[in-house]
Amino acid sequence: MTPALPPRTQRELRDVLDARVRAAGPPGPGAAAVAVLRSCEPPRFAQSVLDFTATLDPAAAHAWLADFTRTVYLAGDPRNLAVRLPPAFTSADGEVAWYAPATGHHRRALRLLLRPVSGTLPNGAPPAPYTLRVPHGHAPGRWRLTLATDGLTLQRYLVHLGHTLAEALLTGVLAPGERIAVTHVPHLGAQPRHPAYLRVHEDVTDTARLRAYTCLEKTTARDEQ
């Protein structure tokens, strides 16, 4: 059993954030993807992040990563956009559509038509655990993604979850076919010393401080028993 570790210090969190900036490389063109959600069920959204990211060609993937996988989240019905503004990817059930990273006014029509996603997490409580699978492969790896939800709006939940999954896939941390068990806690108190990915951002209750929101770590079948 992994021993509990104390929460990271502000200096350690800053080092993690700085490392993420270095990994992104030179600044990108300011591209942003757009996700249009008819419903905001976390498992559906999370799987769509992986499925969409896997469709990007190398140039688009590189540009998106350089812009820190910036994404705009809009509420709408993808079925009403399919003809006028066809997306790059739509989930199998038609509930989530993704538009590839682009710059300038390419997405202005979507922003004018639709409103930003807002609201609280479903039922006002942390989502139940769920499992994802990286598409297009059969790698046997298993992961645990822990997300700290205390103080998060629905939009912030989507942001932290989306960035974590997209960046882990774009940087090769996740491999096609691997399985990810997603769980939720109020705060990431005990973190592994060397997680595969740790998402750090401003604390929602004190923007002068940093906070860890997600932690992605490798597991085994035994860990899940």
Side-chain angles (χ1 to χ4, degrees):
M1 182 177 179
T2 302
L5 297 171
R8 290 173 182 254
T9 65
Q10 287 294 301
R11 175 61 182 270
E12 289 174 322
L13 293 176
R14 172 59 62 183
D15 289 344
V16 172
L17 188 58
D18 290 345
R20 179 189 177 221
V21 173
R22 290 194 299 272
V34 178
V36 176
L37 291 80
R38 183 169 182 266
S39 62
C40 292
E41 295 184 25
R44 174 185 291 124
F45 164 75
Q47 187 62 54
S48 81
V49 174
L50 294 170
D51 294 342
F52 163 69
T53 303
T55 68
L56 295 176
D57 62 46
H62 178 78
W64 199 28
L65 183 62
D67 283 314
F68 303 107
T69 58
R70 182 183 172 204
T71 303
V72 177
Y73 296 96
L74 301 175
D77 189 342
R79 293 173 297 186
N80 297 333
L81 302 169
V83 175
R84 182 178 177 184
L85 298 166
F89 171 85
T90 303
S91 61
D93 59 10
E95 294 288 306
V96 184
W98 282 86
Y99 292 80
T103 59
H105 300 290
H106 289 79
R107 302 293 180 244
R108 184 169 181 270
L110 283 169
R111 291 172 181 260
L112 292 174
L113 280 172
L114 306 174
R115 68 184 188 284
V117 169
S118 62
T120 60
L121 289 170
N123 302 319
Y130 54 87
T131 301
L132 309 170
R133 185 175 290 279
V134 183
H136 309 315
H138 303 283
R142 295 169 182 263
W143 297 87
R144 176 168 51 237
L145 172 57
T146 308
L147 201 156
T149 60
D150 190 66
L152 295 187
T153 62
L154 174 61
Q155 185 178 44
R156 287 185 180 274
Y157 175 87
L158 299 178
V159 167
H160 293 308
L161 179 59
H163 281 301
T164 299
L165 292 172
E167 291 176 14
L169 185 53
L170 290 174
T171 56
V173 172
L174 296 172
E178 291 186 317
R179 193 170 69 177
I180 309 162
V182 183
T183 60
H184 305 86
V185 295
H187 289 276
L188 291 179
Q191 305 155 32
R193 183 50 57 192
H194 300 291
Y197 182 99
L198 187 71
R199 175 166 172 78
V200 174
H201 207 269
E202 291 178 349
D203 192 320
V204 291
T205 60
D206 182 357
T207 57
R209 295 177 59 81
L210 296 173
R211 174 181 163 190
Y213 287 94
T214 68
C215 179
L216 182 65
E217 55 186 313
K218 202 80 178 268
T219 63
T220 65
R222 188 175 182 179
D223 293 328
E224 299 174 11
Q225 293 176 353

